[in-house]
Amino acid sequence: MTDSTQDLAAHVQELFGAAITDARESLGELTLEVRRDEIIPVCTRLRDDPALAFAQLMDVCGVDYLEYGRESAAGVRSGPRFAVVYHLLSLKYNRRVRLRAWLDDEMPLIASVTGIWNSANWYEREAFDLFGIVFEGHPDLRRILTDYGFVGHAFRKDFPLIGQVEMRYDPEKQRVVYQPVSIEPRVLVPRVIREEGFAKG
């Protein structure tokens, strides 16, 4: 870690104690692992503490670690499947910090940070739509990118590439209808060009 990153990590760990389970530098930024139930007090303090001043939320995204860390022999994933990642910016000190909170596999749920940063609204809706992560206390948690009749969450690793249903306009009913997917899944096989098939000359 650089000196400034080390100072920031030490200050944050002193402030939050057990709420921060890990701190490390990754891609030139400090990444803090935050306990899920502590996300609101940690984010509030990161924004309001004059020595930190992370006034701007740049992004909130979901992550699906379904296949990550699987051991070839056992085939078992270690650790939770879902996480939420927050990217914060301090304009005052020109530095960034990344927060990651791990979620439960069966019901990925975390408190909404829309009360801290208004910009979280659409980011959280996107993570809900694409990953199925529920942000408790969000003022209007509904799909934002997919259609209202969409089945499933498209960015989950176990979501089929061809989707669950397809949509088309039915001229007899004069409306859009949903039906099971009618296309066959494509298998992409790399094309192999062999040198022996060409005449030399």
Side-chain angles (χ1 to χ4, degrees):
M1 286 190 195
T2 62
D3 289 343
S4 61
T5 307
Q6 283 179 338
D7 293 344
L8 177 59
H11 180 61
V12 166
Q13 286 179 316
E14 184 181 335
L15 278 177
F16 299 118
I20 303 295
T21 58
D22 189 23
R24 68 180 81 133
E25 187 174 5
S26 177
L27 302 174
E29 294 177 19
L30 179 63
T31 300
L32 303 172
E33 304 273 347
V34 182
R35 286 181 43 211
R36 178 178 57 91
D37 55 336
E38 296 285 345
I39 197 67
I40 295 298
V42 167
C43 288
T44 303
R45 189 74 182 267
L46 286 170
R47 181 195 65 184
D48 295 342
D49 189 316
L52 298 170
F54 286 100
Q56 193 164 357
L57 174 70
M58 302 301 295
D59 190 24
V60 177
C61 57
V63 184
D64 183 355
Y65 290 94
L66 180 65
E67 297 293 330
Y68 183 80
R70 281 195 184 256
E71 298 175 20
S72 57
V76 178
R77 177 177 30 87
S78 59
R81 174 178 174 179
F82 296 104
V84 177
V85 178
Y86 304 82
H87 296 268
L88 309 180
L89 172 65
S90 172
L91 294 169
K92 183 176 180 181
Y93 298 109
N94 189 28
R95 61 187 175 199
R96 296 174 185 267
V97 70
R98 182 184 301 114
L99 309 177
R100 178 168 58 179
W102 295 101
L103 309 179
D104 296 331
D105 289 11
E106 296 302 315
M107 180 57 173
L109 174 77
I110 193 166
S112 171
V113 295
T114 52
I116 303 169
W117 299 285
N118 287 333
S119 60
N121 191 321
W122 283 16
Y123 296 139
E124 290 181 353
R125 283 181 61 189
E126 182 182 20
F128 165 71
D129 189 359
L130 300 178
F131 291 95
I133 296 168
V134 176
F135 293 89
E136 197 171 32
H138 190 285
D140 186 21
L141 194 61
R142 57 191 164 97
R143 291 188 183 273
I144 191 171
L145 295 174
T146 59
D147 188 57
Y148 295 117
F150 192 84
V151 178
H153 303 284
F155 278 13
R156 286 191 175 188
K157 298 286 175 71
D158 53 1
F159 188 81
L161 291 177
I162 61 171
Q164 309 278 10
V165 295
E166 65 185 25
M167 165 176 89
R168 67 174 177 82
Y169 179 76
D170 189 328
E172 291 177 9
K173 295 180 181 178
Q174 296 186 349
R175 66 180 175 88
V176 171
V177 295
Y178 295 90
Q179 64 188 35
V181 176
S182 61
I183 61 172
E184 291 294 321
R186 285 179 30 186
V187 177
L188 299 178
V189 179
R191 185 176 170 204
V192 177
I193 300 174
R194 302 193 187 282
E195 291 293 328
E196 61 267 15
F198 296 99
K200 295 181 180 178

